[in-house]
Each structure stands twice: as structure tokens, then as C-alpha cells.
Amino acid sequence: MALAARLSHFLPWARAVFPGPWRSRGVAGCRGLCCTWRLRGSEVMGNLGSFKRSFLFSALPYLGFETFQVFSQAALVHATAKVFRVEEILEQADYLYESGETEKLYQLLTEYKESEDAELLWRLARASRDIAQLSGTSEEEKKLLVYEALEYAKRALEKNESSFAAHKWYAICISDVGDYEGIKAKIANAYIIKEHFEKAIELNPKDATSIHLMGIWCYTFAEMPWYQRRIAKMLFATPPSSTYEEALGYFHRAEQVDPNFYSKNLLLLGKTYLKLHNKKLAAFWLMKAKDYPAHTEEDKQIQTEAAQLLTGFSDKN
């Protein structure tokens, strides 16, 4: 209706066809213009097809602009609705994650597995990995989920290389896949994993989890068995290496950024102090890990491990 109304404005006066001096001529000018219009009437009537084409070509730019406006507005509304929809899904996902609803979270996010949104994709990678770690997940299912998680994380990173979380979960998923690809692949992937953890920390130095994971990387290579070190030296000129002191520095740094953010960080502080033969501080952190509220399956496993290590202290004393 609006388009038709606007079109009717220029039909009687043919302003699009006759722009120019007549607007400043007053009544006399109008008469002169009318005479000109009547004189050309025979030409118009004599070639009706030419008139139609002329009118159509004159109207097309206006119609095109009107159509462009309509479609632009529709696209803007659609894009806005899409953004709001993604934000809504992310809010639901974060709520389920914080509530420890692992299976519900996975079910929610897999409905959007074809998404182009990096924030949604890295959360899906995390959810897939969490499902893989559930005690009720079979070994066959676990392997499928681990590779599925890597694919989601890879896509998230491709969509947004500036996402610290995409770098973090890509590194985590590569590490998980290494368990199925042998020692050579695992050691080779260690360089990639470290690079992405460092990038995640660079992009967000306040993310305690990325710092914690860098600590795990250091701890893993500090306690690498001698036979693996030997293989690493055979395969690589400079194999990855680290120390317990370096790992401890990252675990403490993570705790400073966000105290008590993760039960495993508390556990690893205790275990690292054990490796450094400081039983007093080891017991302090292991007790904190044992008393940490269990929100996830992993929290429960960490509580059990911390309790066993503390029991070992009592038995030795």
C-alpha cells in the first residue's frame, strides 16, 4: 500500500519524467508546461509502446530503491532476530553447564551443530568432551565423541581466530585425540597444544582455565617417563620439556586470577607439592580439593583421588 501511494504521487505530474525549471515558474510556467505536454500528446498517442517503455525506465530506479529498502529492513530484522536467538541459546547453554546438566547441554547444542557461530561451536566441543568423560559412556562412544569435539573446536577456530576459548578448546581436543593416535602423534601435537594455550592466555590473561591448562602441559612433560623421553629424543631434535616448578607457577597464577575456580587446579597444586616433597603444602591443597563442592562427574573423581592421597599421608605417618 505504501509503495502504491508513493507511486501515485508522481503519476499525475510526471515529475520523474520532467524534472527541472518548471518548479520555479509559477502559474505561467505551469501553463507553458501544459502546452508543451499537449503538443507532445500526438507523439505519445502515436507511439504508446515508446511512452510505456519511457515511463517504465523512469519508474524502475524508484521501484528498485523501494524494493531495496523493504528487503534491507527485512534482512536487518532477520539478522537481529538471529543474534538474539544465538544469545538466548548461549545463555541456556551456560546455565546448563554451571548446573552440571551435561547430557541436557549436549542435547541442546547438537541441535545447532551446523551453526557458523564460534561461541556456540566451542561450547559444543566442550559438551561433547564432557559427555565422553561420563562414566556411563562406552569406549567406542568415547572415541567418537572425542573426534567429534575436535571437529567442532576446529570449526570454531576457523570462524573466529580471535576467540581465546576456541584456541583453548582446540588445544584440549587435540590432546584428547592423541590418546588414540600413538606416542609419536601425541608428542608432535604437544607443540601445537602449547602454542594454542599460550595464544588463549595472550588473548585473555584473566582466563584461569587457560593458565591452569598450561600448568597441566608443564606438569605432564615434567613427569614424562624415561622411556617416553627417550622416544621423544629419537623423534625430535628438541622434544618438549618442562619442570614441576614451572607447572606450580601456572597453577598458582590460575588460583590468583580466580580462587577456587576448579577442583582439578586444587588437586594439581597438591600433587605438584608432593612431587617437590613439600607435604605440608600438599596436604593443604589436597584438603581443599577433597572439600570442593561436586558439580560434575569430574569433581566427584577429584574428590575421591584427593581423599586417597590424603589417606596415604595418614598411613605413612
Side-chain angles (χ1 to χ4, degrees), residues 145-287:
L145 285 163
V146 162
Y147 279 93
E148 181 182 308
L150 176 60
E151 184 59 31
Y152 294 138
K154 182 180 179 182
R155 283 173 53 201
L157 195 57
E158 288 171 352
K159 298 301 176 186
N160 186 4
E161 290 188 356
S162 297
S163 169
F164 80 92
H167 282 280
K168 175 171 67 179
W169 286 99
Y170 182 64
I172 292 169
C173 293
I174 289 178
S175 178
D176 291 341
V177 165
D179 293 337
Y180 298 98
E181 298 189 345
I183 185 67
K184 182 177 180 180
K186 197 163 188 175
I187 295 172
N189 287 340
Y191 297 100
I192 301 170
I193 292 166
K194 184 181 182 183
E195 176 187 339
H196 284 284
F197 283 151
E198 288 175 338
K199 186 64 177 178
I201 295 169
E202 177 189 330
L203 289 168
N204 186 2
K206 295 298 183 181
D207 180 51
T209 309
S210 298
I211 301 168
H212 161 81
L213 291 167
M214 195 64 236
I216 289 182
W217 190 95
C218 296
Y219 185 93
T220 301
F221 285 99
E223 71 166 1
M224 180 184 282
W226 66 268
Y227 63 90
Q228 289 187 359
R229 290 184 188 278
R230 188 171 181 179
I231 293 171
K233 286 180 181 179
M234 291 172 62
L235 296 173
F236 304 97
T238 54
S241 62
S242 189
T243 64
Y244 291 119
E245 288 82 2
E246 190 175 5
L248 189 66
Y250 279 110
F251 295 142
H252 271 299
R253 180 179 166 188
E255 204 61 30
Q256 289 167 0
V257 168
D258 191 0
N260 296 316
F261 75 102
Y262 187 26
S263 59
K264 192 167 186 178
N265 198 64
L266 303 175
L267 177 70
L268 283 168
L269 275 163
K271 291 177 72 171
T272 307
Y273 273 116
L274 274 178
K275 295 288 186 181
L276 294 171
H277 310 291
N278 189 330
K279 292 184 179 180
K280 184 177 179 180
L281 284 175
F284 171 80
W285 291 105
L286 289 173
M287 187 64 72

Side-chain angles (χ1 to χ4, degrees), residues 267 271 286 300-311:
L267 177 70
K271 291 177 72 171
L286 289 173
K300 294 174 185 177
Q301 294 169 2
I302 286 167
Q303 282 182 341
T304 301
E305 184 176 354
Q308 289 172 347
L309 289 169
L310 286 166
T311 302

Side-chain angles (χ1 to χ4, degrees), residues 30-247:
C30 286
R31 287 179 181 175
L33 179 60
C34 290
C35 289
T36 306
W37 176 253
R38 282 197 297 270
L39 284 171
R40 294 183 178 176
S42 59
E43 296 175 20
V44 171
M45 297 305 294
N47 193 347
L48 188 58
S50 298
F51 171 72
K52 288 179 179 178
R53 284 194 297 273
S54 175
F55 175 78
L56 179 60
F57 292 149
S58 299
L60 274 176
Y62 185 85
L63 291 170
F65 178 71
E66 289 285 311
T67 305
F68 171 77
Q69 283 186 314
V70 171
F71 279 108
S72 295
Q73 290 170 2
L76 179 61
V77 170
H78 177 72
T80 304
K82 187 176 180 181
V83 169
F84 281 131
R85 179 60 178 156
V86 171
E87 289 298 323
E88 181 184 337
I89 296 164
L90 295 180
E91 285 180 11
Q92 292 177 23
D94 290 344
Y95 173 78
L96 290 172
Y97 181 75
E98 293 298 327
S99 303
E101 297 284 358
T102 307
E103 293 176 339
K104 288 182 181 178
L105 174 60
Y106 180 73
Q107 289 170 3
L108 169 69
L109 292 177
T110 49
E111 293 180 19
Y112 307 97
K113 62 183 180 181
E114 301 303 326
S115 172
E116 300 288 313
D117 191 276
E119 293 297 304
L120 198 151
L121 288 168
W122 72 252
R123 284 172 171 82
L124 183 51
R126 180 181 65 182
S128 301
R129 183 178 184 271
D130 286 347
I131 288 287
Q133 292 187 330
L134 292 178
S135 57
T137 304
S138 68
E139 284 302 315
E140 184 179 350
E141 289 174 325
K142 181 177 181 179
K143 183 177 180 180
L144 289 173
L145 285 163
V146 162
Y147 279 93
E148 181 182 308
L150 176 60
E151 184 59 31
Y152 294 138
K154 182 180 179 182
R155 283 173 53 201
L157 195 57
E158 288 171 352
K159 298 301 176 186
N160 186 4
E161 290 188 356
S162 297
S163 169
F164 80 92
H167 282 280
K168 175 171 67 179
W169 286 99
Y170 182 64
I172 292 169
C173 293
I174 289 178
S175 178
D176 291 341
V177 165
D179 293 337
Y180 298 98
E181 298 189 345
I183 185 67
K184 182 177 180 180
K186 197 163 188 175
I187 295 172
N189 287 340
Y191 297 100
I192 301 170
I193 292 166
K194 184 181 182 183
E195 176 187 339
H196 284 284
F197 283 151
E198 288 175 338
K199 186 64 177 178
I201 295 169
E202 177 189 330
L203 289 168
N204 186 2
K206 295 298 183 181
D207 180 51
T209 309
S210 298
I211 301 168
H212 161 81
L213 291 167
M214 195 64 236
I216 289 182
W217 190 95
C218 296
Y219 185 93
T220 301
F221 285 99
E223 71 166 1
M224 180 184 282
W226 66 268
Y227 63 90
Q228 289 187 359
R229 290 184 188 278
R230 188 171 181 179
I231 293 171
K233 286 180 181 179
M234 291 172 62
L235 296 173
F236 304 97
T238 54
S241 62
S242 189
T243 64
Y244 291 119
E245 288 82 2
E246 190 175 5

